[in-house]
Amino acid sequence: KRRVPAAAPRMADPHPLFDDTSAAGSGGAHRGYGAPPPAASSSSSSSSSSLYPPPAGFLSEPVSSLAVAYGSSLAAFNLLPQLDRFIPVGRLKYYFAVDTVYVGRKLGLLIFPFLHQDWQVRYQQDAPVAPRFDVNAPDLYIPVMAFITYILVAGLALGTQNRFSPDSLGLQASSALAWLILEVLAVLLSLYLVTVNTDLT
Amino acid sequence: MAFTLYSLLQAALLIVNAIAVLHEERFLRHVGWGSDQGIGGFGEEPGIKAQITNLIRSVRTVMRVPLIAVNSITIVLLLLFG
């Protein structure tokens, strides 16, 4: 999968910008989105050239500043305790308690499920064991990563055909989300029709 | 492939409207999907036809009033914004 090269532009991007806004003062994050990238592109060529050599003009594109602003706004939003009323964050953390070995084994199971013998989820005092300790346990990390990887690879494919624009990335994301929701609803409807009661909590 | 979230909402609204419009007496009885046509005993497992019949009946019962509201909002929005 293309997770490593897709992760590199997202990783190399925030570091110069975070250093720049902390040096520029507290108002750096609230200024317009066009302000940080021109100041950061000069510092990025010096500071990040040792880590990853970014392509020329990468940080001056509006999509990167948009992505960083979105990411920082998400980080600020998720730290608020008011979120706990809508999304049970504690229960969500169970689905993200994964490690590399588990992800590798789970992906292998997804591609080739024929040699696996024991499909039972192991329990520990009435609750399923965290995915770190059991390959059969469900998780949310792989679906979220698959979604993000799909959007990035779709952007890459559009780019090689010279059809890329920043709006098309958002369009791909919402379209993929709509298909995902439709697929989940179809699975739920089918499970209801054949009276299979599942209990994954 | 521009299948957006908005079109999903539109499709869902249209499908729920379609289910709500299926009349019990005039139509479903003739097809054999009426709600009083022998859905099976108490102890046995309901088949797929019984599940579909129950689903149609419950959607019609539950969604009648919210559908009025959502349809009115959709009509007003479509008239204003096209």
Side-chain angles (χ1 to χ4, degrees):
Chain A
K1 296 203 102 182
R2 299 190 60 105
R3 268 195 296 146
V4 173
R10 292 166 66 93
M11 279 269 302
D13 190 27
H15 292 303
L17 278 165
F18 284 171
D19 290 339
D20 191 51
T21 54
S22 66
S26 60
H30 301 290
R31 267 185 283 125
Y33 296 148
S41 56
S42 55
S43 66
S44 75
S45 52
S46 55
S47 61
S48 67
S49 57
S50 55
L51 295 170
Y52 304 98
F58 179 68
L59 282 165
S60 57
E61 279 187 47
V63 63
S64 60
S65 60
L66 206 72
V68 168
Y70 182 61
S72 56
S73 75
L74 261 189
F77 182 57
N78 272 329
L79 286 176
L80 290 176
Q82 285 98 319
L83 188 60
D84 204 26
R85 274 184 286 140
F86 303 109
I87 306 175
V89 183
R91 302 261 320 271
L92 261 188
K93 277 191 186 172
Y94 162 78
Y95 290 111
F96 287 97
V98 294
D99 61 346
T100 326
V101 177
Y102 168 81
V103 171
R105 282 208 207 126
K106 194 77 175 195
L107 287 177
L109 255 191
L110 280 174
I111 298 175
F112 193 75
F114 305 112
L115 292 181
H116 192 75
Q117 302 292 346
D118 179 28
W119 292 89
Q120 191 85 338
V121 179
R122 269 179 281 148
Y123 277 81
Q124 179 207 25
Q125 293 155 1
D126 219 22
V129 172
R132 209 174 278 146
F133 306 113
D134 181 21
V135 192
N136 298 321
D139 73 318
L140 266 184
Y141 173 80
I142 292 181
V144 169
M145 283 299 135
F147 183 66
I148 296 176
T149 307
Y150 170 77
I151 297 174
L152 293 175
V153 171
L156 193 74
L158 283 177
T160 55
Q161 298 170 11
N162 289 329
R163 284 194 293 154
F164 181 78
S165 79
D167 336 313
S168 69
L169 213 61
L171 187 68
Q172 289 288 328
S174 65
S175 168
L177 191 65
W179 280 114
L180 251 184
I181 293 176
L182 194 66
E183 180 189 353
V184 168
L185 288 179
V187 169
L188 283 178
L189 180 71
S190 319
L191 283 179
Y192 171 76
L193 285 182
V194 297
T195 60
V196 170
N197 293 316
T198 66
D199 182 29
L200 272 178
T201 54
Chain B
M1 245 286 268
F3 179 50
T4 59
L5 276 175
Y6 176 66
S7 64
L8 187 67
L9 285 176
Q10 269 187 322
L13 182 64
L14 286 175
I15 287 183
V16 175
N17 271 329
I19 295 183
V21 162
L22 292 172
H23 197 275
E24 180 70 49
E25 267 187 30
R26 293 183 199 161
F27 174 66
L28 290 179
R29 294 243 168 97
H30 301 301
V31 184
W33 279 12
S35 58
D36 55 348
Q37 275 169 340
I39 310 218
F42 186 58
E44 54 187 63
E45 266 206 24
I48 291 190
K49 180 181 129 177
Q51 291 287 96
I52 296 181
T53 310
N54 273 336
L55 187 64
I56 293 179
R57 188 164 54 100
S58 48
V59 164
R60 278 197 358 251
T61 315
V62 167
M63 295 297 287
R64 213 155 249 177
V65 175
L67 261 186
I68 298 175
V70 175
N71 277 330
S72 321
I73 295 177
T74 310
I75 289 173
V76 168
L77 281 180
L78 281 180
L79 278 179
L80 286 180
F81 300 118

